[in-house]
Amino acid sequence: MTPVIAIDGPSGTGKGTLAALLAERLAWHTLDSGAIYRVLGLAAQRHGLALDDSGPLTSLAAALPLCFKDRKVLLDGEDVSNAIRTEEAGAAASQVAAHPGVRAALLEWQRRMARPPGLVADGRDMGTVVFSQAPLKIFLDASPEIRADRRYKQLKEKGLDANLPKLVADIRERDARDRSRAVAPLRAAEDAVLVDSSQMSIAEVFDRVLEEVRRVF
Ligand code: C5P
């Protein structure tokens, strides 16, 4: 079976960066599962679908013309890599992701991404649902205030408007929705290694996780 490293945790903990660094070091593939839900949210809005209407959203998910190519995310051939990174797209993603039918429709698609020599997958339910047999599971956490502060700095660096109290509130709201949903809620798998990145640089997180990689593989 193709080896998989499953990385889960709330938004803004550095999961994506960690996954990319690990994949580069190991020369493995990556799966940014959040991008799938973000693309679905965007596609739903473009089709004028209500984000709480599970039937049409599930049909859309089952036939989503999504493709990851050269670090780009394509929807129906269009590069939507930037369009899916807004706070609004994140909120829409978290709403469409709460539907059980949607998640079921995307399950096999995600599992097919596990190809040799290995896969580093990040999201909310990589270790608990999608790759529940993964030999290494990491749960990356950080306080909402620290995550909002990181996001604030990222936005400012890009010259974009940012409001720190609103970012904290948005993060808390998205966390609450992701943790409380009935299907595949955000939680650490029982056999996950917990890493709190609140007081760690990404390099420190990477080194910590590399220790686990050497222990397991
Ligand atoms: O990780 P990212 O912030 O891009 O994910 C956006 C949203 O997609 C999350 O807030 C979550 O609701 C949803 N998601 C999910 N399961 C995953 C990955 C993301 O429900 N495996």
Side-chain angles (χ1 to χ4, degrees), residues 27-180:
W28 285 10
H29 303 283
T30 54
L31 170 63
D32 169 6
S33 62
I36 307 174
Y37 294 97
R38 286 173 180 267
V39 168
L40 181 63
L42 184 70
Q45 285 173 323
R46 288 185 176 177
H47 282 83
L49 301 182
L51 301 182
D52 59 357
D53 197 354
S54 116
L57 287 173
T58 300
S59 306
L60 185 62
L64 193 64
L66 160 70
C67 168
F68 292 108
K69 201 174 169 210
D70 305 332
R71 298 183 180 220
K72 289 190 181 127
V73 186
L74 306 180
L75 169 61
D76 226 348
E78 177 194 340
D79 182 1
V80 292
S81 315
N82 292 330
I84 60 167
R85 292 294 155 205
T86 64
E87 294 304 311
E88 294 70 32
S94 144
Q95 289 175 65
V96 298
H99 299 287
V102 163
R103 304 196 74 87
L106 295 170
L107 200 53
E108 283 313 313
W109 196 96
Q110 295 177 81
R111 287 185 176 150
R112 276 200 300 276
M113 299 293 281
R115 283 176 281 119
L119 178 72
V120 186
D122 81 272
R124 304 293 186 286
D125 63 342
M126 298 296 100
T128 51
V129 178
V130 182
F131 300 109
S132 57
Q133 305 300 317
L136 178 58
K137 302 174 183 177
I138 306 290
F139 192 85
L140 196 55
D141 212 346
S143 74
E145 289 74 18
I146 296 267
R147 287 150 53 205
D149 191 54
R150 289 176 184 162
R151 182 78 185 136
Y152 179 83
K153 287 178 181 144
Q154 276 173 358
L155 290 169
K156 283 286 175 190
E157 270 168 25
K158 287 185 192 163
L160 296 170
D161 252 2
N163 173 323
L164 192 56
K166 182 166 184 322
L167 284 172
V168 176
D170 287 352
I171 279 183
R172 285 186 187 281
E173 186 186 329
R174 184 134 70 97
D175 279 3
R177 187 161 47 222
D178 289 351
R179 288 184 206 273
S180 67

